[in-house]
């Protein structure tokens, strides 16, 4: 591709109308771009709604053109396909009580069995214990077993939860897990990235649609049913926490200091401790806590964002332009 007639590719992480104008030019000549150029463009599209829209339109156009040659299937074929889809969706509904790729921290409470065992959570928590050295946690005297009541009007579902974790696998490789979770619409976007740059996988999940799309951002390979790349959000169910408090399966451990702020600490049925700020919003989850003042925070960052502050492209479930269907790499 002769690049002399093109404006220079905007660096990753840049925004603005000029950047978008350039991105649109590159999108229009997508198949002529090098993998490195495509990668740079995709990073922008992922965070820029107007460009994502443009990409979506181009993708549909490409799709339509590639199907122009195909003949229409006969009525008999149509009926067979519809019957197969219906049978599959009936089977799925029977099989899965709660399909989204959210892993069951709270499985003890008898949710329908999911594909993910508690064991993997325990393994992950063990790695975290090893990995997390910085602990900014100061104990204040606990007030013992007081009643703890969450305000009736409280809600967590009108926000999008942003979270980052640093994990270390068995081989000692460190990787980041960056998640966006929209509890209201049961959508999730999880990026798993090796620190050495050897892996970058994004999973977009939608529980209502029973879909999980995995994207290998390094090789531009997409795969459906990628729910094993999801993360557990069950600790952020306010209803589950209310129920545990009501039935005294959860214990209030009093207030404590966490990273410079006063928080309420609640020890949950699964052994994890949820920390709430003075507005009753979760600020972190502790694992390995045996008494007030102990435990390791699971998340490097935990933020509740206004839904308008996150890009709607995070929830885009279409296979991006330039991706081929295939198999994702192994999880770290
Ligand atoms: Zn843009």
């Amino acid at each position: 591709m002769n690049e002399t007639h093109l404006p220079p590719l905007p660096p990753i992480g840049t925004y603005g109308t000029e950047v978008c104008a350039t991105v649109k030019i590159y999108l229009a000549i997508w198949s002529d771009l090098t993998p490195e150029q495509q990668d740079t463009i995709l990073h922008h599209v992922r965070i820029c709604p107007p460009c994502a829209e443009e990409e979506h339109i181009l993708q549909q156009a490409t799709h339509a053109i590639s199907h122009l040659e195909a003949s229409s299937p006969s009525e008999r074929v149509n009926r067979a396909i519809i019957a197969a889809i219906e049978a599959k969706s009936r089977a799925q509904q029977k099989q899965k009580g709660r399909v989204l790729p959210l892993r069951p921290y709270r499985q003890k409470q008898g949710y329908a069995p999911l594909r993910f065992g508690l064991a993997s959570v325990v393994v992950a928590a063990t790695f975290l214990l090893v990995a997390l050295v910085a602990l900014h946690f100061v104990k204040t005297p606990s007030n013992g077993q007081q009643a703890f009541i969450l305000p009736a009007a409280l809600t967590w579902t009108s926000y999008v939860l942003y979270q980052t974790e640093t994990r270390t696998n068995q081989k000692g490789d460190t990787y980041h897990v960056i998640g966006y979770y929209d509890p209201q619409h049961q959508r999730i976007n999880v990026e798993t990235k090796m620190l050495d740059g050897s892996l970058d996988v994004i999973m977009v999940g939608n529980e209502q649609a029973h879909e999980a799309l995995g994207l290998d951002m390094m090789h531009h390979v997409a795969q459906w049913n990628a729910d094993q790349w999801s993360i557990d959000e069950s600790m952020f169910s306010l209803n589950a926490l209310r129920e545990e408090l009501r039935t005294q399966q959860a214990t209030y451990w009093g207030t404590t200091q966490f990273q410079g702020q006063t928080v309420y600490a609640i020890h949950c049925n699964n052994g994890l401790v949820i920390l709430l700020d003075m507005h009753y919003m979760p600020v972190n989850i502790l694992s390995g806590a045996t008494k007030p003042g102990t435990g390791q925070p699971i998340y490097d960052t935990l933020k509740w964002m206004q839904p308008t502050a996150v890009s709607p492209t995070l929830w885009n479930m279409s296979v991006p332009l330039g991706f081929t269907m295939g198999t994702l790499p192994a999880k770290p």
Side-chain angles (χ1 to χ4, degrees), residues 201 214 216 219-224 228-229 324-330:
V201 170
D216 177 346
H219 306 102
H220 297 174
V221 169
Q223 186 195 315
W224 290 102
Q228 73 272 25
W229 291 85
T324 51
M325 300 312 293
T327 309
L328 295 178

Side-chain angles (χ1 to χ4, degrees), residues 60-103:
Q60 284 182 326
T62 311
H63 185 77
I65 290 165
S66 68
H67 283 69
L68 276 181
E69 306 280 50
S71 63
S72 307
S74 71
E75 187 54 31
R76 194 171 58 85
V77 173
N78 270 341
R79 277 198 307 271
I81 291 169
I82 290 164
I85 291 168
E86 282 172 355
K88 191 181 173 208
S89 88
R90 269 197 308 275
Q92 277 175 346
Q93 270 157 14
K94 231 182 260 174
Q95 205 178 19
K96 305 177 184 179
R98 190 164 175 262
V99 176
L100 190 120
L102 304 183
R103 279 187 269 166

Side-chain angles (χ1 to χ4, degrees), residues 14-17 19-21 23-24 44-45 47-52:
T14 50
Y15 305 82
T17 41
V19 172
C20 294
V23 165
K24 278 166 191 162
H44 177 84
V45 167
I47 53 167
C48 178
C51 288

Side-chain angles (χ1 to χ4, degrees), residues 67 138 143 230 244 261 292 320:
H67 283 69
V138 185
N143 303 323
S230 191
E244 283 195 17
Q261 64 175 320

